[in-house]
Amino acid sequence: MPELPEVETIIRGLKQQILNLIIVDVKIYYKPMIKPSAIILRKTLVAASIINILRHGKYMFLSLSNQMTLVWHLRMTGQLLVVEKNKAIDKHTHIEIIFKDHDKKLIYRDIRKFGTCEIIKTSSIKEYIENHHLGQDSLEIDYNSFKSLIKKKKKPIKSILLDQTVLAGIGNIYADEILIRASVFPLKHGYKLKDNEIQAIFKEIKPTLQAAIIKKGTSFSDYINSIGQKGKFQLHLRAYQQQGKPCFRCKSIIKKIKVGGRGTYYCPNCQK
DNA sequence: CTGTTTACCTGGGGGC
DNA sequence: TGCCCCCAGGTAAACA
């Protein structure tokens, strides 16, 4: 499940590997993931190069040399990989991008086919973020806007952290990791949180995500970065998938519940 | 407007 | 061995 730290890790890898390489061919095997169409994607990419990559939350913006930008979202099992040009692809590979005079290619793999690739004008990236009602990036958000957003919401804080219109980038893993570090019960509603609890959550958001970026993300099931490596933050998880294990703080047994339909892990003693 | 539920997909695991 | 069912979760769309 690529969340902000995993997407950031992928972008850092891609920037080192494929920036400014001229694209000579694009092969598309699964068309429904592309907006507006596979034909337009091919036309847009051939003869162009990727000159910059930005991130907002879990969205990647790959800007091209021709004033166009690919908005790529990996959803749950998407992978952007740089592999040897002659490497055989498997049935989960949906796009191949071939570069001029280069022994590597960029491929898109996605077991569950939820990922999307959308072509927009580079000048309308801001507009795209607004139209999709994305909140501030989780590494950028300031305390006052965070606090006022949380106070308005009549739903569990866990669901609020997952809401990309509130703040962008947090998914199921890091929502639980932030809440156990902040000692806040995931089912407690936003408007019922005390200032010191909102402060405690805010204080954990950026350091938790930054720590995960340093470890190159969490690899629980499918996530690997652009050179096929797993992350290492799964070795530092305190809540996610830790049911039955002792809490890092008080040694109580971590419990698993459902919040808004999502598996949620927490310490029944520290998070009340 | 708000918040909740469902659809989109596939693979893995449990029950039998 | 194999079939059925459920589960995993990010987002958009449908719904209440």
Side-chain angles (χ1 to χ4, degrees), chain A residues 10-233:
Chain A
I10 289 166
I11 288 177
R12 289 182 186 184
L14 291 177
K15 282 174 112 170
Q16 284 183 15
Q17 295 170 286
I18 56 156
L19 232 43
N20 302 315
L21 298 176
I22 293 171
I23 296 163
V24 291
D25 199 8
V26 181
K27 296 170 183 167
I28 301 161
Y29 307 102
Y30 183 68
K31 295 174 183 172
M33 63 170 291
I34 300 161
K35 267 189 198 170
S37 75
I39 295 167
I40 290 176
L41 177 65
R42 191 166 195 289
K43 278 190 181 162
T44 305
L45 282 178
V46 171
S49 59
I50 298 165
I51 58 168
N52 194 20
I53 309 178
L54 301 172
R55 182 188 60 69
H56 188 97
K58 305 169 197 172
Y59 288 80
M60 281 179 278
F61 297 88
L62 292 83
S63 292
L64 306 173
S65 50
N66 56 13
Q67 330 307 325
M68 302 302 280
T69 285
L70 306 184
V71 186
W72 216 306
H73 198 299
L74 305 174
R75 299 289 179 98
M76 258 111 61
T77 54
Q79 301 170 340
L80 276 170
L81 296 166
V82 179
V83 300
E84 295 298 322
K85 198 175 195 167
N86 58 8
K87 188 182 172 170
I89 56 159
D90 67 358
K91 64 170 178 172
H92 299 301
T93 300
H94 309 308
I95 299 176
E96 287 182 284
I97 296 172
I98 317 291
F99 302 105
K100 184 182 177 185
D101 300 329
H102 199 255
D103 57 356
K104 303 260 171 61
K105 62 186 173 186
L106 174 64
I107 65 167
Y108 180 68
R109 279 188 88 236
D110 190 347
I111 292 171
R112 292 174 70 180
K113 298 180 177 168
F114 282 175
T116 54
C117 175
E118 197 168 336
I119 303 138
I120 65 169
K121 287 183 188 158
T122 301
S123 57
S124 56
I125 292 178
K126 247 190 170 171
E127 201 182 320
Y128 183 94
I129 291 169
E130 283 167 19
N131 290 344
H132 287 72
H133 306 111
L134 292 179
Q136 288 183 69
D137 186 82
S138 299
L139 290 180
E140 307 283 326
I141 193 163
D142 60 283
Y143 178 63
N144 286 335
S145 9
F146 180 72
K147 181 176 158 187
S148 66
L149 284 163
I150 300 293
K151 289 221 171 209
K152 287 192 269 213
K153 298 280 178 189
K154 295 199 172 177
K155 59 177 181 182
I157 181 62
K158 161 84 184 261
S159 304
I160 300 172
L161 292 179
L162 291 177
D163 184 345
Q164 305 298 301
T165 70
V166 173
L167 75 171
I170 296 171
N172 207 37
I173 296 174
Y174 296 105
D176 285 358
E177 291 304 310
I178 288 161
L179 289 175
I180 196 170
R181 283 164 170 77
S183 299
V184 174
F185 183 46
L187 277 168
K188 196 155 177 185
H189 284 209
Y191 74 107
K192 286 195 168 172
L193 288 170
K194 309 240 183 326
D195 281 11
N196 68 309
E197 292 176 301
I198 299 177
Q199 240 170 59
I201 297 166
F202 183 79
K203 239 180 80 183
E204 297 298 337
I205 291 176
K206 294 177 196 180
T208 302
L209 297 172
Q210 294 284 14
I213 291 171
I214 288 169
K215 298 291 174 187
K216 302 191 189 314
T218 301
S219 292
F220 222 96
S221 50
D222 298 287
Y223 166 71
I224 47 178
N225 68 20
S226 64
I227 50 173
Q229 293 172 328
K230 292 188 172 212
K232 289 204 163 69
F233 197 69

